Amino acid sequence: ELSFIPDNDLRESLRRDISAVNNALSNGEWKAATVLAGSVTEALLLWALQRNASQVPATVSKLGMKVDPDLEKWSLHSYIEVAAELGMIKSDTATQCRLAKDFRNLIHPGRALRLGQVCNRGTALSAVAAVEHVIQDLTP
């Protein structure tokens, strides 16, 4: 339901994306499901960090990260690490998100070739699991 997101437009956009992920899974469209689920994870973590923006700079400093002060310019990796450090997401969720991040990056043909990996049912399910874990952790 994503009822914890008060912004109706964002909530509906994410719900549509999650629906598209589920449709892609049903149709065996593994790359589409993997990449879109990664995008939803990123959007959820960005939203959560924006809601706790006052805590972010100290956490970034504690982690020794070099990131742009503008949260919207961060990568999924940075969102995961800061959200985990702040306790917004559980350790297991962060681990699942890291897997999803790596699989989502298979959208880049050069990376897929270098690693000898392709999106498949497993990558799609891993990315969807990250979405589900993040939603569970962010739901009050």
Side-chain angles (χ1 to χ4, degrees):
E1 290 293 316
L2 304 177
S3 58
F4 58 89
I5 298 178
D7 181 323
N8 289 331
D9 291 337
L10 176 61
R11 184 174 58 249
E12 286 307 311
S13 176
L14 290 172
R15 286 171 46 135
R16 283 191 301 275
D17 285 349
I18 292 168
S19 178
V21 168
N22 289 324
N23 287 334
L25 277 176
S26 295
N27 294 327
E29 299 164 353
W30 311 129
K31 185 180 274 191
T34 300
V35 172
L36 193 51
S39 175
V40 170
T41 298
E42 186 170 330
L44 288 166
L45 293 176
L46 169 60
W47 172 83
L49 289 170
Q50 287 173 325
R51 304 239 335 149
N52 295 279
S54 65
Q55 299 175 16
V56 169
T59 304
V60 166
S61 179
K62 177 181 177 184
L63 293 172
M65 297 172 66
K66 305 288 185 215
V67 292
D68 193 292
D70 183 352
L71 285 171
E72 293 178 10
K73 295 181 180 178
W74 286 18
S75 66
L76 179 52
H77 167 77
S78 299
Y79 296 142
I80 295 166
E81 299 312 317
V82 173
E85 183 66 27
L86 286 170
M88 296 172 161
I89 58 174
K90 296 176 184 172
S91 175
D92 288 346
T93 300
T95 299
Q96 193 65 48
C97 288
R98 289 180 193 108
L99 285 172
K101 171 193 66 76
D102 292 342
F103 294 145
R104 186 200 54 175
N105 286 337
L106 294 175
I107 189 72
H108 305 290
R111 179 177 177 80
L113 285 171
R114 277 192 317 278
L115 298 176
Q117 292 182 312
V118 296
C119 291
N120 55 35
R121 186 171 188 271
T123 65
L125 292 172
S126 290
V128 171
V131 171
E132 294 296 326
H133 285 293
V134 168
I135 289 171
Q136 186 170 354
D137 289 357
L138 296 180
T139 299

